[in-house]
Amino acid sequence: MKTAILYYTFGGATKKEAERMARELGAVSYRVFEARKRSLIGSFIPGGLQAMHRKAVKIKPLGAELAGFDRIVIGCPVWAAYPAPAFNSIVELLPAGKEVELFFCEGGSDPLADEEGTKALVEKRGCKVVSCRVVSTGEKPSKLKE
Ligand SMILES: Cc1cc2nc3c(=O)[nH]c(=O)nc-3n(C[C@H](O)[C@H](O)[C@H](O)COP(=O)(O)O)c2cc1C
């Protein structure tokens, strides 16, 4: 099964998990970048609100043809108990008919809310959610230094 892993990371934890999965599954991974650079403060305001309202944000072109994959894994951090806004942008890229696995990295403050609503966004694209899991990273909010 040809698998692509699409992930967004702010602090690096989701990247670590995506790369681990890519090795385990023999999958290709693509890191998604927001078009506008975000500061740590900007991740809370407006980032947290965007997450809670399930707002998509502009992302840089992915450079991948997703139609060629059977299964797509999406990984994203939890912000204000919802998937970070880039998750909503990634969902908009999904071609119909794919099997989708979701994983969300959370630090341990507020747990992921409304998992069913998150899955529904993917199903609305004509895709099937085959799994959804939370990875407890124990990581405090931070910005990856690059
Ligand atoms: C803006 C912001 C909001 C966050 N909100 C939550 C939250 O509601 N619940 C939680 O458990 N962790 C929360 N965290 C912590 C992250 O989910 C956690 O550190 C995660 O591992 C980050 O993944 P990343 O390093 O790939 O960005 C938040 C972090 C940030 C930056």
mmCIF file of all heavy atoms in Angstrom, residues 8-15 40 43-44 48 77-81 105-111 137 139-142, ligand 1:
data_model
loop_
_atom_site.group_PDB
_atom_site.id
_atom_site.type_symbol
_atom_site.label_atom_id
_atom_site.label_comp_id
_atom_site.label_asym_id
_atom_site.label_seq_id
_atom_site.Cartn_x
_atom_site.Cartn_y
_atom_site.Cartn_z
ATOM 1 N N TYR A 8 2.069 18.701 9.895
ATOM 2 C CA TYR A 8 2.443 20.065 10.260
ATOM 3 C C TYR A 8 3.050 19.978 11.639
ATOM 4 O O TYR A 8 2.566 19.228 12.500
ATOM 5 C CB TYR A 8 1.215 20.987 10.278
ATOM 6 C CG TYR A 8 1.514 22.330 10.893
ATOM 7 C CD1 TYR A 8 2.216 23.300 10.170
ATOM 8 C CD2 TYR A 8 1.136 22.631 12.204
ATOM 9 C CE1 TYR A 8 2.518 24.539 10.747
ATOM 10 C CE2 TYR A 8 1.431 23.863 12.781
ATOM 11 C CZ TYR A 8 2.124 24.806 12.037
ATOM 12 O OH TYR A 8 2.428 26.025 12.604
ATOM 13 N N THR A 9 4.116 20.714 11.860
ATOM 14 C CA THR A 9 4.708 20.762 13.198
ATOM 15 C C THR A 9 5.067 22.195 13.512
ATOM 16 O O THR A 9 5.388 22.976 12.610
ATOM 17 C CB THR A 9 5.969 19.867 13.275
ATOM 18 O OG1 THR A 9 6.384 19.736 14.628
ATOM 19 C CG2 THR A 9 7.130 20.402 12.440
ATOM 20 N N PHE A 10 4.993 22.547 14.773
ATOM 21 C CA PHE A 10 5.403 23.889 15.185
ATOM 22 C C PHE A 10 6.630 23.774 16.087
ATOM 23 O O PHE A 10 7.572 24.513 15.962
ATOM 24 C CB PHE A 10 4.238 24.579 15.910
ATOM 25 C CG PHE A 10 4.487 26.018 16.205
ATOM 26 C CD1 PHE A 10 4.554 26.959 15.188
ATOM 27 C CD2 PHE A 10 4.660 26.461 17.524
ATOM 28 C CE1 PHE A 10 4.789 28.302 15.465
ATOM 29 C CE2 PHE A 10 4.892 27.803 17.807
ATOM 30 C CZ PHE A 10 4.951 28.716 16.776
ATOM 31 N N GLY A 11 6.597 22.783 16.942
ATOM 32 C CA GLY A 11 7.678 22.614 17.908
ATOM 33 C C GLY A 11 8.606 21.445 17.601
ATOM 34 O O GLY A 11 9.635 21.279 18.263
ATOM 35 N N GLY A 12 8.238 20.591 16.647
ATOM 36 C CA GLY A 12 9.114 19.481 16.258
ATOM 37 C C GLY A 12 8.618 18.099 16.673
ATOM 38 O O GLY A 12 9.082 17.090 16.141
ATOM 39 N N ALA A 13 7.678 18.020 17.619
ATOM 40 C CA ALA A 13 7.237 16.710 18.109
ATOM 41 C C ALA A 13 6.491 15.916 17.032
ATOM 42 O O ALA A 13 6.695 14.701 16.880
ATOM 43 C CB ALA A 13 6.339 16.891 19.346
ATOM 44 N N THR A 14 5.638 16.591 16.277
ATOM 45 C CA THR A 14 4.866 15.890 15.230
ATOM 46 C C THR A 14 5.804 15.417 14.117
ATOM 47 O O THR A 14 5.607 14.350 13.521
ATOM 48 C CB THR A 14 3.766 16.815 14.661
ATOM 49 O OG1 THR A 14 3.074 17.416 15.759
ATOM 50 C CG2 THR A 14 2.777 16.046 13.807
ATOM 51 N N LYS A 15 6.831 16.216 13.864
ATOM 52 C CA LYS A 15 7.839 15.840 12.848
ATOM 53 C C LYS A 15 8.520 14.528 13.268
ATOM 54 O O LYS A 15 8.683 13.607 12.458
ATOM 55 C CB LYS A 15 8.871 16.968 12.747
ATOM 56 C CG LYS A 15 10.003 16.745 11.767
ATOM 57 C CD LYS A 15 10.848 18.026 11.694
ATOM 58 C CE LYS A 15 11.806 17.993 10.541
ATOM 59 N NZ LYS A 15 13.104 17.432 10.887
ATOM 60 N N LEU A 40 5.595 32.311 18.399
ATOM 61 C CA LEU A 40 4.986 31.523 19.484
ATOM 62 C C LEU A 40 3.715 32.221 19.981
ATOM 63 O O LEU A 40 2.691 31.563 20.195
ATOM 64 C CB LEU A 40 5.999 31.329 20.623
ATOM 65 C CG LEU A 40 5.539 30.451 21.788
ATOM 66 C CD1 LEU A 40 5.114 29.068 21.330
ATOM 67 C CD2 LEU A 40 6.646 30.322 22.835
ATOM 68 N N SER A 43 0.936 31.651 17.663
ATOM 69 C CA SER A 43 0.345 30.301 17.690
ATOM 70 C C SER A 43 -0.841 30.269 18.663
ATOM 71 O O SER A 43 -1.786 29.519 18.470
ATOM 72 C CB SER A 43 1.395 29.249 18.054
ATOM 73 O OG SER A 43 1.761 29.335 19.418
ATOM 74 N N PHE A 44 -0.780 31.125 19.672
ATOM 75 C CA PHE A 44 -1.900 31.182 20.633
ATOM 76 C C PHE A 44 -2.992 32.126 20.150
ATOM 77 O O PHE A 44 -4.163 31.799 20.155
ATOM 78 C CB PHE A 44 -1.384 31.614 22.021
ATOM 79 C CG PHE A 44 -0.695 30.498 22.732
ATOM 80 C CD1 PHE A 44 0.676 30.304 22.625
ATOM 81 C CD2 PHE A 44 -1.434 29.598 23.493
ATOM 82 C CE1 PHE A 44 1.301 29.245 23.263
ATOM 83 C CE2 PHE A 44 -0.812 28.535 24.129
ATOM 84 C CZ PHE A 44 0.565 28.355 24.008
ATOM 85 N N GLY A 48 -4.766 29.679 18.248
ATOM 86 C CA GLY A 48 -5.686 28.877 19.052
ATOM 87 C C GLY A 48 -7.137 29.079 18.618
ATOM 88 O O GLY A 48 -7.912 28.125 18.520
ATOM 89 N N PRO A 77 -0.244 18.936 15.497
ATOM 90 C CA PRO A 77 -0.359 19.189 16.939
ATOM 91 C C PRO A 77 -1.756 19.653 17.337
ATOM 92 O O PRO A 77 -2.509 20.159 16.495
ATOM 93 C CB PRO A 77 0.654 20.318 17.192
ATOM 94 C CG PRO A 77 0.981 20.910 15.885
ATOM 95 C CD PRO A 77 0.579 19.940 14.806
ATOM 96 N N VAL A 78 -2.058 19.481 18.609
ATOM 97 C CA VAL A 78 -3.323 19.973 19.171
ATOM 98 C C VAL A 78 -3.083 21.379 19.713
ATOM 99 O O VAL A 78 -2.150 21.602 20.481
ATOM 100 C CB VAL A 78 -3.796 19.032 20.315
ATOM 101 C CG1 VAL A 78 -4.995 19.623 21.042
ATOM 102 C CG2 VAL A 78 -4.133 17.660 19.758
ATOM 103 N N TRP A 79 -3.918 22.306 19.267
ATOM 104 C CA TRP A 79 -3.874 23.685 19.764
ATOM 105 C C TRP A 79 -5.249 24.016 20.338
ATOM 106 O O TRP A 79 -6.269 23.851 19.645
ATOM 107 C CB TRP A 79 -3.567 24.679 18.637
ATOM 108 C CG TRP A 79 -2.138 24.695 18.163
ATOM 109 C CD1 TRP A 79 -1.110 23.883 18.558
ATOM 110 C CD2 TRP A 79 -1.583 25.585 17.179
ATOM 111 N NE1 TRP A 79 0.047 24.209 17.886
ATOM 112 C CE2 TRP A 79 -0.212 25.250 17.033
ATOM 113 C CE3 TRP A 79 -2.098 26.628 16.400
ATOM 114 C CZ2 TRP A 79 0.639 25.916 16.143
ATOM 115 C CZ3 TRP A 79 -1.252 27.291 15.520
ATOM 116 C CH2 TRP A 79 0.105 26.942 15.402
ATOM 117 N N ALA A 80 -5.266 24.466 21.578
ATOM 118 C CA ALA A 80 -6.536 24.845 22.230
ATOM 119 C C ALA A 80 -7.582 23.733 22.077
ATOM 120 O O ALA A 80 -8.745 23.991 21.788
ATOM 121 C CB ALA A 80 -7.063 26.165 21.658
ATOM 122 N N ALA A 81 -7.119 22.508 22.222
ATOM 123 C CA ALA A 81 -7.959 21.294 22.190
ATOM 124 C C ALA A 81 -8.457 20.899 20.793
ATOM 125 O O ALA A 81 -9.237 19.964 20.663
ATOM 126 C CB ALA A 81 -9.134 21.401 23.160
ATOM 127 N N CYS A 105 -0.642 15.213 18.081
ATOM 128 C CA CYS A 105 0.305 15.295 19.188
ATOM 129 C C CYS A 105 -0.175 16.337 20.184
ATOM 130 O O CYS A 105 -0.443 17.484 19.801
ATOM 131 C CB CYS A 105 1.694 15.681 18.666
ATOM 132 S SG CYS A 105 2.440 14.368 17.683
ATOM 133 N N GLU A 106 -0.284 15.928 21.438
ATOM 134 C CA GLU A 106 -0.719 16.890 22.459
ATOM 135 C C GLU A 106 0.232 16.851 23.651
ATOM 136 O O GLU A 106 0.837 15.824 23.951
ATOM 137 C CB GLU A 106 -2.173 16.640 22.880
ATOM 138 C CG GLU A 106 -2.412 15.318 23.536
ATOM 139 C CD GLU A 106 -3.855 15.120 23.988
ATOM 140 O OE1 GLU A 106 -4.767 15.618 23.325
ATOM 141 O OE2 GLU A 106 -4.046 14.445 25.014
ATOM 142 N N GLY A 107 0.292 18.031 24.306
ATOM 143 C CA GLY A 107 1.258 18.172 25.395
ATOM 144 C C GLY A 107 0.750 17.691 26.732
ATOM 145 O O GLY A 107 1.533 17.446 27.643
ATOM 146 N N GLY A 108 -0.573 17.586 26.865
ATOM 147 C CA GLY A 108 -1.113 17.083 28.127
ATOM 148 C C GLY A 108 -1.894 18.124 28.908
ATOM 149 O O GLY A 108 -2.238 17.894 30.060
ATOM 150 N N SER A 109 -2.179 19.276 28.287
ATOM 151 C CA SER A 109 -3.040 20.248 28.995
ATOM 152 C C SER A 109 -4.504 19.919 28.692
ATOM 153 O O SER A 109 -5.122 19.128 29.403
ATOM 154 C CB SER A 109 -2.680 21.695 28.629
ATOM 155 O OG SER A 109 -2.554 21.874 27.241
ATOM 156 N N ASP A 110 -5.061 20.488 27.597
ATOM 157 C CA ASP A 110 -6.446 20.148 27.235
ATOM 158 C C ASP A 110 -6.449 19.004 26.238
ATOM 159 O O ASP A 110 -5.775 19.080 25.208
ATOM 160 C CB ASP A 110 -7.144 21.355 26.578
ATOM 161 C CG ASP A 110 -7.334 22.474 27.573
ATOM 162 O OD1 ASP A 110 -7.569 22.170 28.760
ATOM 163 O OD2 ASP A 110 -7.221 23.638 27.167
ATOM 164 N N PRO A 111 -7.212 17.943 26.480
ATOM 165 C CA PRO A 111 -7.253 16.831 25.521
ATOM 166 C C PRO A 111 -7.985 17.218 24.233
ATOM 167 O O PRO A 111 -8.784 18.169 24.235
ATOM 168 C CB PRO A 111 -8.010 15.739 26.268
ATOM 169 C CG PRO A 111 -8.786 16.433 27.320
ATOM 170 C CD PRO A 111 -8.062 17.707 27.657
ATOM 171 N N THR A 137 2.860 13.805 23.949
ATOM 172 C CA THR A 137 4.295 14.112 23.837
ATOM 173 C C THR A 137 4.846 14.655 25.149
ATOM 174 O O THR A 137 6.049 14.614 25.379
ATOM 175 C CB THR A 137 4.532 15.171 22.743
ATOM 176 O OG1 THR A 137 3.908 16.400 23.140
ATOM 177 C CG2 THR A 137 3.977 14.726 21.404
ATOM 178 N N GLU A 139 5.185 17.554 25.680
ATOM 179 C CA GLU A 139 5.976 18.747 25.326
ATOM 180 C C GLU A 139 5.180 20.013 25.584
ATOM 181 O O GLU A 139 4.031 20.116 25.186
ATOM 182 C CB GLU A 139 6.349 18.713 23.827
ATOM 183 C CG GLU A 139 7.242 17.562 23.426
ATOM 184 C CD GLU A 139 8.690 17.768 23.830
ATOM 185 O OE1 GLU A 139 9.093 18.927 24.056
ATOM 186 O OE2 GLU A 139 9.407 16.748 23.935
ATOM 187 N N LYS A 140 5.837 20.985 26.218
ATOM 188 C CA LYS A 140 5.207 22.294 26.430
ATOM 189 C C LYS A 140 5.221 23.046 25.105
ATOM 190 O O LYS A 140 6.071 22.783 24.247
ATOM 191 C CB LYS A 140 6.007 23.076 27.467
ATOM 192 C CG LYS A 140 5.920 22.474 28.852
ATOM 193 C CD LYS A 140 6.159 23.562 29.906
ATOM 194 C CE LYS A 140 5.886 23.034 31.288
ATOM 195 N NZ LYS A 140 6.933 22.111 31.735
ATOM 196 N N PRO A 141 4.297 24.031 24.915
ATOM 197 C CA PRO A 141 4.307 24.815 23.675
ATOM 198 C C PRO A 141 5.676 25.438 23.410
ATOM 199 O O PRO A 141 6.263 26.060 24.286
ATOM 200 C CB PRO A 141 3.260 25.906 23.959
ATOM 201 C CG PRO A 141 2.340 25.282 24.945
ATOM 202 C CD PRO A 141 3.192 24.403 25.788
ATOM 203 N N SER A 142 6.184 25.203 22.207
ATOM 204 C CA SER A 142 7.491 25.778 21.835
ATOM 205 C C SER A 142 7.551 25.873 20.324
ATOM 206 O O SER A 142 6.753 25.269 19.614
ATOM 207 C CB SER A 142 8.626 24.875 22.340
ATOM 208 O OG SER A 142 8.580 23.642 21.642
HETATM 209 C C1 LIG B 1 -0.723 27.370 20.531
HETATM 210 C C2 LIG B 1 -0.603 26.067 21.242
HETATM 211 C C3 LIG B 1 -1.711 25.523 21.850
HETATM 212 C C4 LIG B 1 -1.634 24.278 22.490
HETATM 213 N N1 LIG B 1 -2.766 23.751 23.044
HETATM 214 C C5 LIG B 1 -2.707 22.513 23.600
HETATM 215 C C6 LIG B 1 -3.896 21.891 24.107
HETATM 216 O O1 LIG B 1 -4.994 22.432 24.042
HETATM 217 N N2 LIG B 1 -3.767 20.668 24.670
HETATM 218 C C7 LIG B 1 -2.570 20.007 24.772
HETATM 219 O O2 LIG B 1 -2.537 18.897 25.301
HETATM 220 N N3 LIG B 1 -1.440 20.553 24.277
HETATM 221 C C8 LIG B 1 -1.477 21.781 23.688
HETATM 222 N N4 LIG B 1 -0.343 22.356 23.169
HETATM 223 C C9 LIG B 1 0.912 21.587 23.239
HETATM 224 C C10 LIG B 1 1.190 20.857 21.933
HETATM 225 O O3 LIG B 1 0.043 20.186 21.431
HETATM 226 C C11 LIG B 1 2.297 19.819 22.122
HETATM 227 O O4 LIG B 1 3.440 20.466 22.630
HETATM 228 C C12 LIG B 1 2.624 19.100 20.828
HETATM 229 O O5 LIG B 1 3.523 18.045 21.123
HETATM 230 C C13 LIG B 1 3.256 20.055 19.829
HETATM 231 O O6 LIG B 1 3.573 19.407 18.625
HETATM 232 P P1 LIG B 1 4.661 20.048 17.646
HETATM 233 O O7 LIG B 1 5.953 20.070 18.427
HETATM 234 O O8 LIG B 1 4.723 19.171 16.476
HETATM 235 O O9 LIG B 1 4.213 21.437 17.297
HETATM 236 C C14 LIG B 1 -0.390 23.595 22.532
HETATM 237 C C15 LIG B 1 0.727 24.157 21.913
HETATM 238 C C16 LIG B 1 0.627 25.371 21.259
HETATM 239 C C17 LIG B 1 1.843 25.959 20.582
#
